[in-house]
Amino acid sequence: MSKLATAFRSFAEATARYSGKPAAFLTAALIVVVWAATGPLFGFGDTWQLVINTGTTIITFLMVFLIQNSQNRDSAALQIKLDELIRTTRARNSLLDVDNLDEDALERIRENYRKLAHNKEEEARQSHRAGPRVRREAESEEACEEVKEIDRELAKASADHADESAGKDEGK
């Protein structure tokens, strides 16, 4: 990594870390109070308003980039950690590439997980009426069906993604 990238990373991390602390908020609030208190001295004029508007706009503009940099790095690190957990557990490895799917595919998969969660809640409510063996069999069958549906969605979305990638490669 270049010296500039390393310096920017350090600066972005420090800024994001300190801007989220109570002292940063109190400093910003104090600046606004001082600005408001100076209003009568400047007759609440256009220049007086321009000072706070310009200052807050510049700070906001710069903070967006610094915080986005920190969030991108945090998201990438979290994704790597989740990928490693999926890879090393008995979870389905087909979920490793789920972040490359389009919004429609993600929503269908999300809906399947919602159904699975809802079915688990229903089964828990009905478990008082059924015996343990019947409950386990019903849960197992339902979970298998939902997992198969999720796998079908993942396979379909992955195939669509592969087709899109192949089309882009041919166009180059």
Side-chain angles (χ1 to χ4, degrees):
M1 189 177 333
S2 71
K3 287 184 179 184
L4 179 62
T6 302
F8 179 74
R9 177 180 175 209
S10 297
F11 179 71
E13 286 175 351
T15 303
R17 186 173 40 256
Y18 291 119
S19 67
K21 294 191 180 226
F25 174 78
L26 292 175
T27 302
L30 181 64
I31 289 170
V32 171
V33 168
V34 168
W35 169 78
T38 61
L41 294 173
F42 295 101
F44 298 101
D46 291 342
T47 303
W48 174 77
Q49 290 179 16
L50 187 62
V51 167
I52 197 71
N53 289 340
T54 303
T56 56
T57 300
I58 290 169
I59 290 169
T60 302
F61 179 74
L62 295 175
M63 288 299 289
V64 165
F65 295 103
L66 293 175
I67 292 171
Q68 187 64 49
N69 176 271
S70 294
Q71 285 182 338
N72 288 347
R73 197 173 40 262
D74 290 347
S75 293
L78 182 61
Q79 188 64 50
I80 291 167
K81 291 173 185 178
L82 289 172
D83 287 349
E84 181 63 10
L85 286 172
I86 291 169
R87 190 187 65 77
T88 60
T89 64
R90 296 181 60 186
R92 289 165 303 173
N93 287 336
S94 58
L95 290 174
L96 286 172
D97 200 30
V98 76
D99 52 320
N100 291 326
L101 302 179
D102 63 22
E103 287 298 316
D104 292 336
L106 288 173
E107 188 55 39
R108 288 191 306 267
I109 292 167
R110 210 176 285 131
E111 184 59 33
N112 284 319
Y113 277 111
R114 283 188 202 112
K115 285 184 207 173
L116 188 59
H118 176 72
N119 291 340
K120 290 290 182 187
E121 289 173 6
E122 285 296 315
E123 289 169 6
R125 286 188 201 114
Q126 295 173 1
S127 68
H128 297 294
R129 292 179 239 149
R133 182 169 182 248
V134 173
R135 264 196 323 267
R136 279 194 306 272
E137 288 174 3
E139 287 175 2
S140 179
E141 287 177 26
E142 186 66 34
C144 286
E145 285 304 312
E146 290 299 327
V147 167
K148 287 176 186 174
E149 181 62 29
I150 291 167
D151 283 339
R152 282 191 292 272
E153 287 294 337
L154 285 168
K156 179 180 181 266
S158 292
D160 292 346
H161 182 68
D163 290 345
E164 289 175 13
S165 295
K168 289 179 185 174
D169 291 342
E170 289 175 8
K172 288 185 179 179

